[in-house]
Every structure is written in C-alpha cells, then in structure tokens.
C-alpha cells in the first residue's frame, strides 16, 4: 500500500483510466467493466479493476488539479506496475469551432503551473502525450458521433483566475481548451518512462458561459468514455 492507495500489488491493471471525479470512475466501472471489484476507497478516491472486451483494465479518480493527479499517477507508475494512464475528464472550450460536448484529444498540454520546475531543467519542457495513445484514440474516435479535435490544451493551476484576459492569450496560440491535470500527468509519465493521454469532453465554453450540469458531467459523457476504453485495449 501507498499513503493514498490501499490496493495490493497485482490488483491494478497495467492501463488505468483516470477521471477527476471518483463518482465518474464508479460509473465507468459499473456500466462498462465486467467483473469489476473496488481496490481503493482511501479519501473517497474510488478505484476499480475489471475487464473490457476480455481485457483487464482499471479506473480510478484523480481529484482536481496537478498536485492531486501528480500524487496518484506517481504512485500508480512507481509502485503498482501501471504502464499507461488515460485521463478522461472535462475541459472548458476556448478555441473558435470548439463546441459544448465536443471531444478534445490532448496531443500536448501547455501550462501556467510551476510543477515542472522540480526537475531542474534549464529550459522549457513541453509536456506531450504518448504518440501511440494519440494514434489509437484518433482511430477510435472515428466511430463516434461527437465532433473530435486533436491538439493543444492548457493546464491551469487556477479555476477562478484574477486575470479576465488570461485565456484569450492562450486562445491566440491555437489552444483548444483549458483543464487542470494533463500537463502534470504528462510530465510525471515522461519522468517515469511511462505513457499518458488526456481525452476530454468540453463541459463548458469559457467565453460564452454555456455549460453542462454536474450530473451530465458525471454520467453522460459516454462517447469520451468509449474512446478511452477502445484506446486502452488497442494501444
């Protein structure tokens, strides 16, 4: 066991789907996985292992923000033999042409976070997804009815920012959406020699203030979940 995960070694699959909301992890386990059993309940961060189309998969919540996903990703990679983590989360759309309920495959993750400074790099590290996972997700996305975008997102440390124009600056650089975890996940995976990808559903539009409900975010973004599951078993 680690300080944050009570599973025994062997209880967690090599590939883990990781939504921010632990209740979304529970929803995925109950609706998509066969023979699912719970391996974690510490701090309410639910985790399950089961089978999808005959292949063993796990799903576990990450909480909100880089510090939270950074802890869980590190422990999963280092202590539980996890090889790949696929974040299945939500994002705020900021680019023109990105609409409510669209899906974003985050090829790269810009960030305003100081997380990467821990590595002592004399320069700027660019957090990117594993190419094989991006390729598998793009292929799986062809079967969905949702509009799918592949490109850059920005991972922010703040949800209620003080600068009203901050996201407009990222928009000018072609960034598709804003979220709070991907850059930390990608950096952790890179440092550990592992694989990571974020697949995101646009839950709100930053500049028009359109938004989905909390219940819809928890339970109805099944196109994203389907893409992530297919990516996990075909990577």
């Amino acid at each position: 066991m680690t300080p944050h995960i009570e599973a025994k070694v062997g209880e967690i699959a090599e590939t883990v789907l990781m939504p921010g909301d632990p209740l979304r992890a529970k929803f995925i386990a109950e609706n998509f996985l066969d023979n699912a059993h719970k391996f974690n309940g510490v701090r309410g961060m639910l985790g399950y292992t089961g089978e999808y189309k005959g292949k063993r998969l796990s799903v576990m919540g990450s909480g909100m923000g880089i510090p939270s996903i950074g802890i869980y990703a590190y422990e999963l990679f280092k202590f539980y033999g996890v090889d790949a983590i696929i974040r299945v989360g939500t994002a705020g759309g900021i680019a023109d042409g990105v609409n409510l309920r669209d899906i974003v495959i985050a090829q790269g993750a810009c960030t305003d976070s100081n997380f990467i400074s821990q590595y002592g790099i004399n320069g700027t590290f660019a957090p990117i997804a594993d190419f094989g996972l991006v390729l598998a997700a793009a292929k799986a996305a062809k079967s969905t009815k949702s509009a799918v975008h592949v490109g850059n997102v920005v991972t922010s440390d703040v949800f209620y920012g003080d600068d009203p124009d901050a996201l407009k600056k990222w928009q000018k650089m072609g960034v598709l959406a804003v979220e709070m975890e991907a850059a930390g996940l990608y950096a952790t995976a890179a440092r550990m020699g592992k694989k990571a990808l974020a697949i995101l559903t646009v839950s709100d539009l930053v500049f028009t203030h359109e938004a989905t409900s909390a219940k819809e975010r928890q339970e109805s973004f099944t196109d994203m979940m389907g893409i992530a599951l297919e990516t996990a078993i075909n990577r």
Side-chain angles (χ1 to χ4, degrees):
M1 295 187 294
T2 68
H4 308 97
I5 303 173
E6 61 187 347
K8 298 175 183 177
V9 173
E11 284 192 286
I12 302 176
E14 289 187 358
T15 304
V16 178
L17 270 58
M18 185 160 271
D21 185 350
L23 292 179
R24 192 182 302 135
K26 184 174 185 286
F27 178 86
I28 292 171
E30 291 178 345
N31 290 274
F32 292 95
L33 299 185
D34 297 322
N35 306 312
H37 72 276
K38 187 171 78 171
F39 64 75
N40 193 62
V42 175
R43 295 175 178 257
M45 200 56 69
L46 303 174
Y48 303 84
T49 296
E51 293 180 351
Y52 178 72
K53 295 186 176 179
K55 295 191 177 181
R56 193 165 180 259
L57 291 177
S58 294
V59 57
M60 180 180 170
S62 73
M64 291 187 289
I66 285 179
S68 188
I69 200 169
I71 290 169
Y72 290 114
Y74 183 90
E75 293 184 1
L76 289 169
F77 285 142
K78 185 171 180 66
F79 301 111
Y80 287 100
V82 171
D83 180 61
I85 294 176
I86 301 172
R87 166 164 153 68
V88 281
T90 56
I94 61 175
D96 292 337
V98 173
N99 299 305
L100 210 61
R101 300 179 186 83
D102 285 1
I103 293 170
V104 173
I105 298 171
Q107 182 178 6
C110 311
T111 187
D112 59 19
S113 172
N114 199 39
F115 182 81
I116 294 168
S117 67
Q118 67 177 299
Y119 304 120
I121 297 167
N122 186 24
T124 302
F125 176 78
I128 59 172
D130 175 76
F131 179 72
L133 291 178
V134 173
L135 201 61
K139 184 177 180 180
K142 291 180 180 179
S143 63
T144 184
K145 295 180 181 178
S146 297
V148 179
H149 311 267
V150 180
N152 234 340
V153 301
V154 57
T155 301
S156 180
D157 270 349
V158 293
F159 190 86
Y160 298 107
D162 196 54
D163 180 359
D165 295 322
L167 291 175
K168 292 180 181 178
K169 297 169 186 176
W170 291 111
Q171 182 195 44
K172 287 192 295 185
M173 298 303 293
V175 172
L176 300 173
V178 58
E179 54 87 69
M180 300 188 73
E181 290 83 26
L185 173 61
Y186 290 3
T188 302
R191 178 64 182 85
M192 304 297 291
K194 305 288 187 173
K195 301 172 183 178
L197 175 65
I199 303 173
L200 310 162
T201 298
V202 177
S203 60
D204 60 282
L205 299 178
V206 172
F207 302 125
T208 65
H209 307 294
E210 296 174 72
T212 57
S213 68
K215 184 175 177 61
E216 187 174 5
R217 291 193 297 272
Q218 181 180 310
E219 297 182 356
S220 69
F221 293 161
T222 53
D223 280 353
M224 169 184 66
M225 297 172 192
I227 292 171
L229 288 161
E230 291 297 320
T231 301
I233 65 171
N234 292 298
R235 67 181 182 89

